[in-house]
Amino acid sequence: MITYSFNVEKENFVDAGVVSSKVKRILKQIGIPTAVLRNIAVACYEAEINMIIHSYGGEITLDIDDEGNVTLVFADVGPGIPDVEKALTPGWSTASAQARQLGFGAGMGLVNIKRVSDTFDLQTSPSGTTITITFRVA
Amino acid sequence: MKFLEIANILDAYLPFRNSDVLDKEYQYVFASDLMSDVLALVTMDSEETILVTGLVNPQTLRTAEMLDISLVILVRNKILTEDLIDQAQDHGIQLMTTKFSMFETCGLLYEKGFKVSR
């Protein structure tokens, strides 16, 4: 098992996507197939953007097991998602004007993440949200 | 169709020429200023897809990078910063700008047989 951790800062729009770019590069180097890699990159990028837009910041952890299967954990420190059902509804968004100017806030983030991953788990409370997604590569 | 032919059709400005994609054939187009829509809808054919957008910021190129899109067309003569050009070159993305609007750009490409990205 190989593990990498990356910090994500609240509202750091300048570096939005830098972690996802690193994750994609790492996985490309170890030979993850292109189609799976693209799904991982899309999910990671959407989740990273969500953390920047909506959370107080947190950490992204990338785990690669011995068979090459990938787990990504996005753990932030709050404020939590008040209504998960709404957050998972396509088109529903609470994104700021700044996020919308960057081309986000279409209400598709969580929907996209769930769609491209093999498993999706979301735990949320006012002290933080943790999204765990996995991708079978082997 | 190769990107130099596309540039000719759109009377486009190329800030640089990426030799890695010189012979690459593109056949699909996705046009949007909403990057979440791009991330949702372009998956299967994204390596042969052109992203047409009016949104000029680092997130446009990040979105292209995540999807392995190697050609981004910026409509209505958008001004490119050095940072944006560097970012595109670092990630092997060919940029071009055209005077045409999003509607005109899509129309011209549709006329040449480009298809919607699935």
Side-chain angles (χ1 to χ4, degrees):
Chain A
M1 175 87 87
I2 314 167
T3 301
Y4 299 86
S5 292
F6 309 91
N7 280 319
V8 175
E9 290 171 31
K10 175 190 177 183
E11 291 178 355
N12 183 355
F13 291 101
V14 176
D15 290 333
V18 169
V19 172
S20 302
S21 188
K22 284 179 187 168
V23 166
K24 191 176 181 198
R25 202 165 290 177
I26 290 166
L27 296 174
K28 194 173 182 177
Q29 275 169 0
I30 64 164
I32 301 285
T34 309
V36 183
L37 182 59
R38 202 175 295 148
N39 283 341
I40 298 170
V42 166
C44 189
Y45 186 45
E46 288 278 22
E48 181 184 355
I49 294 285
N50 269 352
M51 284 175 87
I52 291 164
I53 294 173
H54 299 289
S55 86
Y56 300 145
E59 194 176 63
I60 298 176
T61 308
L62 165 68
D63 279 327
I64 309 153
D65 75 12
D66 296 339
E67 273 102 43
N69 297 308
V70 173
T71 302
L72 279 163
V73 181
F74 305 86
D76 68 50
V77 293
I81 302 169
D83 190 332
V84 174
E85 200 180 320
K86 273 188 182 167
L88 285 164
T89 304
W92 192 84
S93 176
T94 58
S96 64
Q98 195 177 3
R100 288 174 198 273
Q101 276 172 6
L102 292 174
F104 294 93
M108 293 303 291
L110 287 176
V111 181
N112 280 351
I113 296 165
K114 200 173 175 183
R115 181 178 61 88
V116 297
S117 53
D118 288 319
T119 68
F120 172 92
D121 179 69
L122 190 157
Q123 304 294 328
T124 188
S125 76
S127 58
T129 298
T130 299
I131 294 173
T132 305
I133 51 174
T134 63
F135 298 86
R136 279 186 298 275
V137 175
Chain B
M1 189 179 289
K2 296 183 175 68
F3 84 77
L4 286 177
E5 295 170 72
I6 297 164
N8 197 34
I9 291 164
L10 298 173
D11 193 17
Y13 165 68
L14 300 166
F16 58 87
R17 288 178 186 207
N18 177 2
S19 55
D20 291 342
V21 294
L22 205 56
D23 292 320
K24 193 171 175 57
E25 290 285 341
Y26 297 93
Q27 51 176 330
Y28 302 101
V29 172
F30 195 86
S32 182
D33 291 344
L34 271 178
M35 293 302 115
S36 282
D37 266 355
V38 181
L39 289 162
L41 295 167
V42 184
T43 48
M44 295 299 285
D45 312 305
S46 52
E47 282 175 63
E48 296 159 69
T49 297
I50 304 166
L51 173 60
V52 178
T53 185
L55 189 76
V56 187
N57 66 39
Q59 302 319 316
T60 305
L61 296 183
R62 285 266 177 247
T63 301
E65 180 197 341
M66 296 305 145
L67 290 165
D68 302 315
I69 290 175
S70 56
L71 178 55
V72 176
I73 300 173
L74 302 164
V75 299
R76 300 191 69 236
N77 272 339
K78 294 287 167 12
I79 293 162
L80 301 173
T81 62
E82 283 301 319
D83 285 351
L84 207 74
I85 293 169
D86 288 347
Q87 189 188 349
Q89 286 182 305
D90 284 350
H91 295 286
I93 298 167
Q94 178 65 49
L95 281 180
M96 64 175 78
T97 60
T98 176
K99 64 185 175 191
F100 294 114
S101 69
M102 178 89 97
F103 179 73
E104 289 169 310
T105 302
C106 292
L108 287 165
L109 295 175
Y110 187 84
E111 211 173 55
K112 293 290 177 188
F114 277 89
K115 291 170 276 189
V116 64
S117 185
R118 285 168 287 177

